[in-house]
PDB file of all heavy atoms in Angstrom:
ATOM      1  N   GLN M 127     130.770 -26.916-164.351  1.00 60.00           N
ATOM      2  CA  GLN M 127     129.767 -27.894-164.750  1.00 60.00           C
ATOM      3  C   GLN M 127     129.687 -29.083-163.795  1.00 60.00           C
ATOM      4  O   GLN M 127     128.939 -30.015-164.037  1.00 60.00           O
ATOM      5  CB  GLN M 127     130.090 -28.421-166.165  1.00 60.00           C
ATOM      6  CG  GLN M 127     130.204 -27.336-167.211  1.00 60.00           C
ATOM      7  CD  GLN M 127     128.925 -26.534-167.382  1.00 60.00           C
ATOM      8  OE1 GLN M 127     127.841 -27.080-167.312  1.00 60.00           O
ATOM      9  NE2 GLN M 127     129.064 -25.232-167.585  1.00 60.00           N
ATOM     10  N   ASN M 128     130.461 -29.046-162.730  1.00 63.00           N
ATOM     11  CA  ASN M 128     130.448 -30.151-161.768  1.00 63.00           C
ATOM     12  C   ASN M 128     129.244 -29.995-160.843  1.00 63.00           C
ATOM     13  O   ASN M 128     129.192 -29.108-160.007  1.00 63.00           O
ATOM     14  CB  ASN M 128     131.744 -30.169-160.956  1.00 63.00           C
ATOM     15  CG  ASN M 128     131.823 -31.376-160.040  1.00 63.00           C
ATOM     16  OD1 ASN M 128     131.035 -32.317-160.174  1.00 63.00           O
ATOM     17  ND2 ASN M 128     132.751 -31.376-159.114  1.00 63.00           N
ATOM     18  N   GLN M 129     128.249 -30.884-160.992  1.00 62.00           N
ATOM     19  CA  GLN M 129     127.008 -30.737-160.248  1.00 62.00           C
ATOM     20  C   GLN M 129     127.134 -31.176-158.798  1.00 62.00           C
ATOM     21  O   GLN M 129     126.258 -30.910-157.981  1.00 62.00           O
ATOM     22  CB  GLN M 129     125.903 -31.570-160.913  1.00 62.00           C
ATOM     23  CG  GLN M 129     126.189 -33.070-160.907  1.00 62.00           C
ATOM     24  CD  GLN M 129     125.029 -33.881-161.424  1.00 62.00           C
ATOM     25  OE1 GLN M 129     123.904 -33.403-161.460  1.00 62.00           O
ATOM     26  NE2 GLN M 129     125.288 -35.100-161.839  1.00 62.00           N
ATOM     27  N   HIS M 130     128.218 -31.856-158.430  1.00 66.00           N
ATOM     28  CA  HIS M 130     128.325 -32.406-157.083  1.00 66.00           C
ATOM     29  C   HIS M 130     128.883 -31.415-156.077  1.00 66.00           C
ATOM     30  O   HIS M 130     128.721 -31.599-154.879  1.00 66.00           O
ATOM     31  CB  HIS M 130     129.212 -33.664-157.093  1.00 66.00           C
ATOM     32  CG  HIS M 130     128.710 -34.738-158.016  1.00 66.00           C
ATOM     33  ND1 HIS M 130     127.433 -35.232-157.939  1.00 66.00           N
ATOM     34  CD2 HIS M 130     129.320 -35.398-159.028  1.00 66.00           C
ATOM     35  CE1 HIS M 130     127.276 -36.169-158.870  1.00 66.00           C
ATOM     36  NE2 HIS M 130     128.397 -36.278-159.542  1.00 66.00           N
ATOM     37  N   ASP M 131     129.564 -30.371-156.521  1.00 65.00           N
ATOM     38  CA  ASP M 131     130.230 -29.447-155.604  1.00 65.00           C
ATOM     39  C   ASP M 131     129.656 -28.045-155.734  1.00 65.00           C
ATOM     40  O   ASP M 131     129.268 -27.609-156.818  1.00 65.00           O
ATOM     41  CB  ASP M 131     131.747 -29.400-155.890  1.00 65.00           C
ATOM     42  CG  ASP M 131     132.422 -30.707-155.518  1.00 65.00           C
ATOM     43  OD1 ASP M 131     132.061 -31.277-154.478  1.00 65.00           O
ATOM     44  OD2 ASP M 131     133.288 -31.154-156.286  1.00 65.00           O
ATOM     45  N   PHE M 132     129.649 -27.329-154.602  1.00 66.00           N
ATOM     46  CA  PHE M 132     129.247 -25.923-154.623  1.00 66.00           C
ATOM     47  C   PHE M 132     130.337 -25.094-155.294  1.00 66.00           C
ATOM     48  O   PHE M 132     131.521 -25.292-155.042  1.00 66.00           O
ATOM     49  CB  PHE M 132     129.024 -25.424-153.188  1.00 66.00           C
ATOM     50  CG  PHE M 132     128.788 -23.943-153.105  1.00 66.00           C
ATOM     51  CD1 PHE M 132     127.551 -23.410-153.415  1.00 66.00           C
ATOM     52  CD2 PHE M 132     129.816 -23.084-152.733  1.00 66.00           C
ATOM     53  CE1 PHE M 132     127.329 -22.043-153.344  1.00 66.00           C
ATOM     54  CE2 PHE M 132     129.604 -21.719-152.652  1.00 66.00           C
ATOM     55  CZ  PHE M 132     128.354 -21.197-152.967  1.00 66.00           C
ATOM     56  N   ASN M 133     129.924 -24.202-156.166  1.00 69.00           N
ATOM     57  CA  ASN M 133     130.858 -23.327-156.858  1.00 69.00           C
ATOM     58  C   ASN M 133     130.392 -21.883-156.683  1.00 69.00           C
ATOM     59  O   ASN M 133     129.251 -21.552-157.032  1.00 69.00           O
ATOM     60  CB  ASN M 133     130.928 -23.680-158.349  1.00 69.00           C
ATOM     61  CG  ASN M 133     131.959 -22.856-159.089  1.00 69.00           C
ATOM     62  OD1 ASN M 133     131.665 -21.754-159.545  1.00 69.00           O
ATOM     63  ND2 ASN M 133     133.164 -23.372-159.225  1.00 69.00           N
ATOM     64  N   TYR M 134     131.260 -21.048-156.122  1.00 75.00           N
ATOM     65  CA  TYR M 134     130.863 -19.669-155.816  1.00 75.00           C
ATOM     66  C   TYR M 134     130.574 -18.876-157.080  1.00 75.00           C
ATOM     67  O   TYR M 134     129.703 -18.004-157.089  1.00 75.00           O
ATOM     68  CB  TYR M 134     131.958 -18.983-154.995  1.00 75.00           C
ATOM     69  CG  TYR M 134     131.487 -17.711-154.329  1.00 75.00           C
ATOM     70  CD1 TYR M 134     130.525 -17.744-153.328  1.00 75.00           C
ATOM     71  CD2 TYR M 134     131.999 -16.472-154.699  1.00 75.00           C
ATOM     72  CE1 TYR M 134     130.084 -16.573-152.718  1.00 75.00           C
ATOM     73  CE2 TYR M 134     131.573 -15.300-154.092  1.00 75.00           C
ATOM     74  CZ  TYR M 134     130.616 -15.369-153.096  1.00 75.00           C
ATOM     75  OH  TYR M 134     130.171 -14.214-152.491  1.00 75.00           O
ATOM     76  N   ASN M 135     131.287 -19.166-158.158  1.00 75.00           N
ATOM     77  CA  ASN M 135     131.015 -18.479-159.415  1.00 75.00           C
ATOM     78  C   ASN M 135     129.600 -18.784-159.910  1.00 75.00           C
ATOM     79  O   ASN M 135     128.911 -17.904-160.443  1.00 75.00           O
ATOM     80  CB  ASN M 135     132.045 -18.877-160.474  1.00 75.00           C
ATOM     81  CG  ASN M 135     133.357 -18.153-160.297  1.00 75.00           C
ATOM     82  OD1 ASN M 135     133.514 -17.351-159.383  1.00 75.00           O
ATOM     83  ND2 ASN M 135     134.323 -18.441-161.148  1.00 75.00           N
ATOM     84  N   ASN M 136     129.173 -20.040-159.764  1.00 76.00           N
ATOM     85  CA  ASN M 136     127.797 -20.395-160.150  1.00 76.00           C
ATOM     86  C   ASN M 136     126.791 -19.620-159.312  1.00 76.00           C
ATOM     87  O   ASN M 136     125.756 -19.165-159.811  1.00 76.00           O
ATOM     88  CB  ASN M 136     127.586 -21.903-159.971  1.00 76.00           C
ATOM     89  CG  ASN M 136     128.378 -22.718-160.957  1.00 76.00           C
ATOM     90  OD1 ASN M 136     129.284 -22.203-161.605  1.00 76.00           O
ATOM     91  ND2 ASN M 136     128.062 -23.985-161.079  1.00 76.00           N
ATOM     92  N   TYR M 137     127.092 -19.491-158.008  1.00 77.00           N
ATOM     93  CA  TYR M 137     126.204 -18.749-157.118  1.00 77.00           C
ATOM     94  C   TYR M 137     126.104 -17.296-157.559  1.00 77.00           C
ATOM     95  O   TYR M 137     125.006 -16.724-157.632  1.00 77.00           O
ATOM     96  CB  TYR M 137     126.727 -18.839-155.683  1.00 77.00           C
ATOM     97  CG  TYR M 137     126.091 -17.873-154.721  1.00 77.00           C
ATOM     98  CD1 TYR M 137     124.819 -18.107-154.208  1.00 77.00           C
ATOM     99  CD2 TYR M 137     126.755 -16.699-154.330  1.00 77.00           C
ATOM    100  CE1 TYR M 137     124.219 -17.206-153.340  1.00 77.00           C
ATOM    101  CE2 TYR M 137     126.169 -15.804-153.452  1.00 77.00           C
ATOM    102  CZ  TYR M 137     124.907 -16.061-152.961  1.00 77.00           C
ATOM    103  OH  TYR M 137     124.329 -15.168-152.105  1.00 77.00           O
ATOM    104  N   LEU M 138     127.247 -16.674-157.882  1.00 81.00           N
ATOM    105  CA  LEU M 138     127.231 -15.289-158.329  1.00 81.00           C
ATOM    106  C   LEU M 138     126.489 -15.147-159.654  1.00 81.00           C
ATOM    107  O   LEU M 138     125.744 -14.173-159.863  1.00 81.00           O
ATOM    108  CB  LEU M 138     128.666 -14.768-158.470  1.00 81.00           C
ATOM    109  CG  LEU M 138     129.482 -14.632-157.175  1.00 81.00           C
ATOM    110  CD1 LEU M 138     130.918 -14.233-157.496  1.00 81.00           C
ATOM    111  CD2 LEU M 138     128.856 -13.623-156.224  1.00 81.00           C
TER     112      LEU M 138
END
Side-chain angles (χ1 to χ4, degrees):
Q127 304 299 323
N128 185 13
Q129 63 174 341
H130 302 306
D131 291 320
F132 172 79
N133 184 274
Y134 195 66
N135 281 0
N136 291 14
Y137 167 77
L138 293 175

